[in-house]
Amino acid sequence: MKEINVEDITAAVAQLAIEATHFLPEDVEGAIRSAKTTEQSPIGIQIIDEILENAEIARTKMLPLCQDTGTAVVHVEIGQNVHITGGYLLDAINAGVEKGYDDGYLRKSIVSQPLSKRTNTKTNTPAVIHTDIVTGENLKIMFMPKGGGCENMSRYQNFLPGAGTSAVTDFVCETVDLSGGNPCPPLLIGVGVGGTAEKAMTMAKHSLFRKVGEHNPDPEIATLEEEILEAVNALGVGPQAVGGNTTALSVFVETYPTHITALPVAVNIQCHSARTKQVVL
Amino acid sequence: MSSTSINVQLPLTDSVISSLYIGQHIRFFGTIYTARDAAHKRLISQSEAGEELPVNLAGQVIYYVGPTPPRPGGVIGSAGPTTSMRLDPYTPKMLELGVKGIIGKGGRGPAVQKAIAQAGAFYCIAVGGTGALLNRHITNVEIVAYEDLGTEAIRKLELDGFPAIVVNDSHGGDLLTEGKRQYRTSERKIPEIKELR
């Protein structure tokens, strides 16, 4: 059994918040760079240039990649042989978010209640925290500062059980077409198929931790990912929706067994500022 | 950067506005004001109550932005655009109050596109998710109203070569519609864009 103190968790989360919001992951930057060579629209290429220049300035001047430093979404995988000491795990994560957003000069965008009391909590907490119990004795913390522009374009629908892959492709295409420039294309597109409503959306969100171009290990699903990517890029939406052939950089599909009556499909969109960072304690 | 950028010196003139067309890359020089959801709501309720507005909007450019806090010694943090469609319900009224230029990201609903052209105004986008780059083109910042709104307070910004792309011009053009049509190879029917609710 491994003991991990909550202070180490808080420090790790704070560090993840700062690094994720300032350093664009290499795989994302690489994909954007290669899109520049295939994009057909001149204004689309200009936009890609500005996105690449932005990543460079963020990295060297320590300015957040985007002013929307997001909802702090934290997925934690807890090895069942880990013993957390000195306090409560979720409090430690929230303390880390508060510290990271303070120390990193990040924008605090969370309001305390979604309806009548939309007052800023001034700490960017509470985070949205998902926990999974896994084997082993590691604690893996996966951090995603999720911007509102793309998160707000998420969609869910349950289809007839026999609707098949074309229903999934059509739903993703319709979602991207309708969302236009709001989610800041070029996009990464997370798709959860199966399970229940909340399972589908959680899979869609979690898939966004994959690296650009990393396919589902199931060959059938990997093929579906390729088909959806091609269909989305044929829509002509383009960078920032000004028109072009680079609308998405990658599509990630996750599946789960589902009920005989159901075909749940959830789409969770990620903007080009695809900020994630993880650490294993 | 593009050699074909057009420099736009502020304040705007009608002849400058009418010379702008969709798809042009422009660079702003001069003074603009920031406003997001909460500031729009307050400006319009003040106007409807007959109160004097804290900012004279006549001929001005409004930027939809809620920046990150500046680091010590900086004037502003990361400062890219937010989703414009959320401001659609307020935009016709803002145009009536004299706003002539808007900077945001994403498209506008059909009614707002029409209102922009009718007002002889224009809408442009800065590239969403490039707040660090845009920071380098903002040389001075002053909070001029609604300081209690924090990141949503109205700020006066001085711009120096701030990049943007014209999306809705004063002639009624819409770059997002035209661009999608030009580059679409899909057989899928283009869905009708609905306003956000």
Side-chain angles (χ1 to χ4, degrees), chain A residues 46 67 107 170 177 182 272, chain B residues 2 66 80 105 128 180 188:
Chain A
Q46 168 95 33
Q67 76 292 335
R107 196 180 86 186
D170 290 349
D177 237 347
N182 297 352
H272 64 77
Chain B
S2 171
K105 77 168 166 86
K180 191 183 271 190
R188 291 167 196 278

Side-chain angles (χ1 to χ4, degrees), chain A residues 189-191 202-210 252-254:
Chain A
I189 303 173
V191 187
T202 306
M203 287 191 293
K205 172 63 65 50
H206 194 265
S207 75
L208 297 171
F209 283 109
R210 273 201 233 160
F252 308 122
V253 180
E254 299 281 326

Side-chain angles (χ1 to χ4, degrees), chain B residues 2-191:
Chain B
S2 171
S3 54
T4 55
S5 282
I6 295 160
N7 289 345
V8 174
Q9 188 65 51
L10 301 170
L12 294 166
T13 63
D14 286 343
S15 69
V16 165
I17 296 171
S18 65
S19 75
L20 296 175
Y21 287 90
I22 61 168
Q24 285 176 332
H25 191 272
I26 59 179
R27 287 187 178 277
F28 285 108
F29 294 83
T31 304
I32 64 166
Y33 292 95
T34 72
R36 289 177 45 117
D37 312 52
H40 275 74
K41 199 171 172 185
R42 209 180 280 187
L43 278 170
I44 286 167
S45 68
Q46 274 195 291
S47 161
E48 282 169 355
E51 295 170 24
E52 194 186 337
L53 299 184
V55 178
N56 179 2
L57 297 173
Q60 294 299 339
V61 175
I62 296 293
Y63 181 22
Y64 301 152
V65 60
T68 61
R71 282 186 173 269
V75 297
I76 196 167
S78 186
T82 193
T83 305
S84 300
M85 217 176 255
R86 280 202 329 274
L87 287 311
D88 275 8
Y90 306 109
T91 302
K93 183 69 188 175
M94 292 292 278
L95 294 165
E96 273 176 42
L97 292 170
V99 169
K100 286 289 188 181
I102 298 167
I103 310 170
K105 77 168 166 86
R108 311 305 306 249
V112 169
Q113 290 180 28
K114 207 168 158 190
I116 287 169
Q118 275 170 357
F122 72 105
Y123 165 66
C124 57
I125 59 167
V127 177
T130 64
L133 166 70
L134 296 167
N135 163 289
R136 311 309 285 169
H137 298 283
I138 301 169
T139 56
N140 197 40
V141 179
E142 189 188 332
I143 294 182
V144 292
Y146 311 155
E147 193 164 1
D148 60 299
L149 296 180
T151 189
E152 298 206 41
I154 297 183
R155 292 170 168 81
K156 183 161 90 169
L157 307 185
E158 290 302 321
L159 304 186
D160 183 25
F162 186 97
I165 299 160
V166 180
V167 162
N168 294 115
D169 58 29
S170 61
H171 314 285
D174 179 39
L175 176 63
L176 271 49
T177 302
E178 294 301 317
K180 191 183 271 190
R181 203 174 285 156
Q182 187 180 347
Y183 290 96
R184 197 174 184 93
T185 53
S186 178
E187 306 278 301
R188 291 167 196 278
K189 189 169 173 284
I190 297 179

Side-chain angles (χ1 to χ4, degrees), chain A residues 24 28-29 32 44-57 65 184-186 239-240 272-273, chain B residues 1 127-130 133:
Chain A
L24 193 63
V28 178
E29 191 167 339
I32 295 168
I45 292 169
Q46 168 95 33
I47 288 168
I48 291 171
D49 274 334
E50 290 183 18
I51 290 170
L52 292 170
E53 193 186 348
N54 183 69
E56 177 68 19
I57 292 169
L65 286 152
C184 281
Q240 299 292 302
H272 64 77
S273 198
Chain B
M1 279 295 120
V127 177
T130 64
L133 166 70

Side-chain angles (χ1 to χ4, degrees), chain A residues 131-143:
Chain A
T131 53
D132 273 331
I133 306 294
V134 298
T135 57
E137 53 176 29
N138 286 329
L139 182 74
K140 185 177 183 185
I141 307 172
M142 308 161 83
F143 190 90

Side-chain angles (χ1 to χ4, degrees), chain A residues 24-167:
Chain A
L24 193 63
E26 275 176 33
D27 58 301
V28 178
E29 191 167 339
I32 295 168
R33 204 173 291 285
S34 69
K36 194 186 158 181
T37 62
T38 52
E39 176 53 54
Q40 292 165 5
S41 152
I43 195 78
I45 292 169
Q46 168 95 33
I47 288 168
I48 291 171
D49 274 334
E50 290 183 18
I51 290 170
L52 292 170
E53 193 186 348
N54 183 69
E56 177 68 19
I57 292 169
R59 185 163 48 230
T60 54
K61 305 284 182 194
M62 279 310 278
L63 281 161
L65 286 152
C66 178
Q67 76 292 335
D68 186 352
T69 49
T71 298
V73 177
V74 187
H75 279 251
V76 196
E77 291 178 1
I78 309 156
Q80 63 182 355
N81 296 332
V82 171
H83 180 213
I84 291 160
T85 61
Y88 179 43
L89 172 65
L90 302 196
D91 289 345
I93 292 170
N94 279 316
V97 169
E98 179 169 0
K99 180 171 165 51
Y101 277 69
D102 248 347
D103 293 354
Y105 299 91
L106 307 181
R107 196 180 86 186
K108 293 148 187 167
S109 310
I110 302 303
V111 294
S112 59
Q113 197 254 28
L115 297 170
S116 60
K117 294 181 204 68
R118 295 187 65 97
T119 47
N120 198 302
T121 63
K122 300 203 161 77
T123 55
N124 216 55
T125 64
V128 172
I129 303 169
H130 303 273
T131 53
D132 273 331
I133 306 294
V134 298
T135 57
E137 53 176 29
N138 286 329
L139 182 74
K140 185 177 183 185
I141 307 172
M142 308 161 83
F143 190 90
M144 177 190 292
K146 189 65 160 60
C150 57
E151 182 66 12
N152 294 345
M153 298 297 116
S154 304
R155 278 171 99 215
Y156 170 81
Q157 194 170 322
N158 182 59
F159 291 90
L160 292 175
T165 55
S166 65

